[in-house]
Amino acid sequence: MSAPAKPARRQMVQLQGDPSEGPPMSDPEVLRHDIDVNGWPAVLSAVVLGTIGVLSFIIQPGIVQAYVTQLKLDEAGAVGLAGIEMLGVALATIFMAAWGNRLNWRHVVIGGLVIAALGNFASIVAPQGPAFELARFVTGLGEGTITSISFTFVGLTIKAERNVALYLTLLLTYGAFGLWYLPQFVAAFGLAGMFGAFGVLTLLALATARFVPHGYDAEEMINPEARQLSRALLLVALAGVLSYNLAQGIAWAVLFLVGVGAGLGEQSVADALFLSQILAVGGALSSVFLAGHVSRNGAIAFGILMGAASIALLVGRPSLPLFTAGVCGFNVLWNFVLPFILGRVCDFDESGRMMSFAIAMQMIGLGGGPIIASHLLDGSGYRSAELLCIALFVASFVLLLMPMRRHRALSALRPSTT
């Protein structure tokens, strides 16, 4: 599972109180009581909210397997059910990208937490079928809302690199232990126990809402790496981001099934995924600390193509060492390369609007991937899903290569002044 990219544009931020409450925002007495987005209470609240927003997604491979064992769904049905939840996440993220800055952030976070909690509690009592699917979709809507705000929140801080590192540490540590312990937890408490735990944790996160700013005014500074590309190339770049994340969505949804289908025990698969999440912390942190020191285009080429090679290791019936190598390579490279991809895409447009569009493409891809995968699983294996995943990786690189080459040409004509 990957985290938000290091922001490509640094912003000077003035946080606001609720414009519907009391004196205008220019009132010094009001500004004295604003939330400091760079203070530890605010930073930790953003990190916690970011993790709460992906409670399900970060351990999605294990949840898909639990749907098979607990609900007795076939593999296609289990993957499709995960896709329904991610569809809710994607729709909420798209909405927030378009209209989020017009809304009161604190109210949005509270609403998202309540919606996600209600969806999880409803999942405990909903009968299997459309009602259960609706409960998971509603949960996704809440999760997507929380995730969008937390991504933006972390990106607004002055020490974004440090705060991204904190976010990744908590997120991937939870994912590692969650995937490792999930088979035992579900065997003991069932899906009801899992959804109940999600609901309780989500409600507890309401305590962080008081540290969320109501909104912000941003005075953007020039991004020295930005060069304006044509609208056609911007669309090509967004198609590359979408293709990359469709591949990730397909792979992440079926990884547990691939391991079990190869004859590996559930706990062995969980152990391999646990290791992949632990190593992914290193991949994510390396992207933070290497940014500015390595070629972004080179990092993108390496991350995407080696990610495709990692999935290729899983084709057929991989042994446990081969499966472990494949999932570890996939997860490490995912968390390593995505910040570079999103950062480079932001360099293609001088208006600074590409990040919101790229994040929307990311969530559409992660949500659409499981739905596509569900139509490729017919009980005969996972080769079709794996080959499509590899093809989408390669397609994403080809699509991103065109705007990257044009950006490099424009940069040669007008070198950065920094």
Side-chain angles (χ1 to χ4, degrees):
M1 159 65 191
S2 194
K6 172 186 174 183
R9 299 171 69 88
R10 176 63 67 226
Q11 296 176 316
M12 302 301 292
V13 179
Q14 172 182 301
L15 297 175
Q16 297 182 341
D18 188 345
S20 66
E21 299 173 358
M25 291 305 100
S26 58
D27 189 319
E29 188 63 31
V30 175
L31 292 177
R32 260 198 300 272
H33 297 287
D34 286 342
I35 299 299
D36 178 10
V37 73
N38 297 299
W40 277 112
V43 169
L44 292 178
S45 71
V47 169
V48 169
L49 286 171
T51 305
I52 292 295
V54 293
L55 280 176
S56 294
F57 176 72
I58 195 68
I59 58 171
Q60 187 184 80
I63 291 177
V64 168
Q65 178 63 19
Y67 287 158
V68 172
T69 58
Q70 297 290 313
L71 299 181
K72 308 304 179 185
L73 295 175
D74 60 19
E75 294 175 341
V79 172
L81 185 54
I84 289 172
E85 181 175 345
M86 287 304 300
L87 178 61
V89 173
L91 291 176
T93 305
I94 294 169
F95 175 84
M96 291 301 298
W99 291 286
N101 288 343
R102 306 176 190 176
L103 304 174
N104 184 307
W105 279 13
R106 192 174 299 176
H107 294 169
V108 168
V109 165
I110 292 172
L113 290 169
V114 170
I115 290 171
L118 290 176
N120 278 308
F121 290 135
S123 300
I124 298 174
V125 298
Q128 191 170 333
F132 185 76
E133 294 172 358
L134 177 61
R136 297 319 300 160
F137 176 77
V138 169
T139 304
L141 290 175
E143 292 168 340
T145 302
I146 302 163
T147 301
S148 296
I149 293 294
S150 64
F151 274 29
T152 306
F153 196 165
V154 172
L156 289 175
T157 56
I158 292 175
K159 296 183 178 180
E161 293 84 357
R162 180 203 66 186
N163 298 334
V164 166
L166 289 173
Y167 176 85
L168 294 172
T169 300
L170 178 59
L171 181 75
L172 294 173
T173 300
Y174 157 71
F177 285 96
L179 282 168
W180 177 61
Y181 186 63
L182 188 63
Q184 302 172 52
F185 183 90
V186 171
F189 302 103
L191 288 175
M194 181 184 72
F195 293 134
F198 286 168
V200 170
L201 289 172
T202 302
L203 289 180
L204 289 174
L206 286 168
T208 66
R210 63 191 292 256
F211 302 112
V212 175
H214 291 292
Y216 72 96
D217 288 328
E219 177 188 346
E220 293 184 333
M221 299 176 65
I222 295 175
N223 172 15
E225 298 295 326
R227 301 292 183 271
Q228 188 61 53
L229 272 57
S230 67
R231 179 172 296 182
L233 281 178
L234 292 180
L235 291 175
V236 170
L238 290 174
V241 176
L242 176 61
S243 178
Y244 180 81
N245 285 285
L246 282 170
Q248 297 290 0
I250 292 171
W252 192 238
V254 304
L255 280 182
F256 211 110
L257 300 177
V258 169
V260 173
L264 308 177
E266 284 192 22
Q267 194 56 54
S268 295
V269 174
D271 292 343
L273 289 169
F274 167 80
L275 179 61
S276 79
Q277 290 285 74
I278 293 295
L279 295 178
V281 176
L285 295 182
S286 65
S287 72
V288 173
F289 295 113
L290 290 177
H293 301 287
V294 298
S295 165
R296 186 175 283 172
N297 292 355
I300 290 170
F302 173 79
I304 293 177
L305 296 179
M306 292 305 293
S310 297
I311 296 299
L313 293 177
L314 305 179
V315 176
R317 292 177 61 86
S319 62
L320 180 58
L322 201 60
F323 177 80
T324 302
V327 297
C328 287
F330 163 81
N331 215 350
V332 169
L333 291 163
W334 180 8
N335 285 276
F336 168 77
V337 77
L338 187 61
F340 286 106
I341 292 175
L342 296 179
R344 178 54 84 205
V345 167
C346 288
D347 293 338
F348 298 157
D349 177 51
E350 292 180 335
S351 74
R353 299 180 60 198
M354 281 293 282
M355 177 61 85
S356 60
F357 295 128
I359 292 295
M361 291 300 102
Q362 179 188 8
M363 293 303 172
I364 292 172
L366 295 177
I371 294 175
I372 293 173
S374 69
H375 294 286
L376 298 175
L377 303 181
D378 56 7
S380 62
Y382 311 96
R383 184 179 297 270
S384 296
E386 291 164 333
L387 293 180
L388 177 59
C389 179
I390 294 170
L392 286 168
F393 272 131
V394 175
S396 72
F397 173 69
V398 173
L399 289 166
L400 289 169
L401 185 61
M402 290 184 277
M404 285 195 302
R405 293 181 66 180
R406 179 57 179 163
H407 177 271
R408 183 171 59 186
L410 291 175
S411 297
L413 294 174
R414 178 164 60 92
S416 171
T417 57
T418 61

